[in-house]
Amino acid sequence: VGSCLQEDWGFERINPTVQAILLVATAELSTQADTPTGAILTEYLTITRAFEDEKQVSFVHGVLNGVGAKVR
């Protein structure tokens, strides 16, 4: 996840809820090759919407796009 953040943004600056979403989504992207990337992203964006505002949803989307490109 850290490699998909801007240089001046450390993982520790992200709120704990978003950290948890990013970590679990990254684990799923890394281990569930049979599940389409889009399906995983949709799932975790829906989860993010349940807890955070649209700004955070956009942030999670951007990071997970980067993670997906690196691990798949």
Side-chain angles (χ1 to χ4, degrees):
V1 173
S3 65
C4 295
L5 299 174
Q6 292 180 352
E7 286 184 29
D8 60 339
W9 267 89
F11 189 71
E12 66 281 349
R13 286 184 66 184
I14 301 170
N15 82 51
T17 302
V18 173
Q19 284 182 4
I21 291 167
L22 291 173
L23 290 173
V24 175
T26 297
E28 190 167 344
L29 285 165
S30 300
T31 62
Q32 303 300 317
D34 58 328
T35 306
T37 302
I40 294 171
L41 264 60
T42 298
E43 177 181 351
Y44 287 97
L45 294 176
T46 300
I47 292 168
T48 304
R49 278 190 185 92
F51 298 99
E52 302 291 339
D53 61 22
E54 282 302 311
K55 184 176 178 181
Q56 293 295 326
V57 174
S58 293
F59 174 76
V60 168
H61 190 226
V63 173
L64 292 181
N65 274 333
V67 170
K70 288 183 185 240
V71 301
R72 292 213 158 194

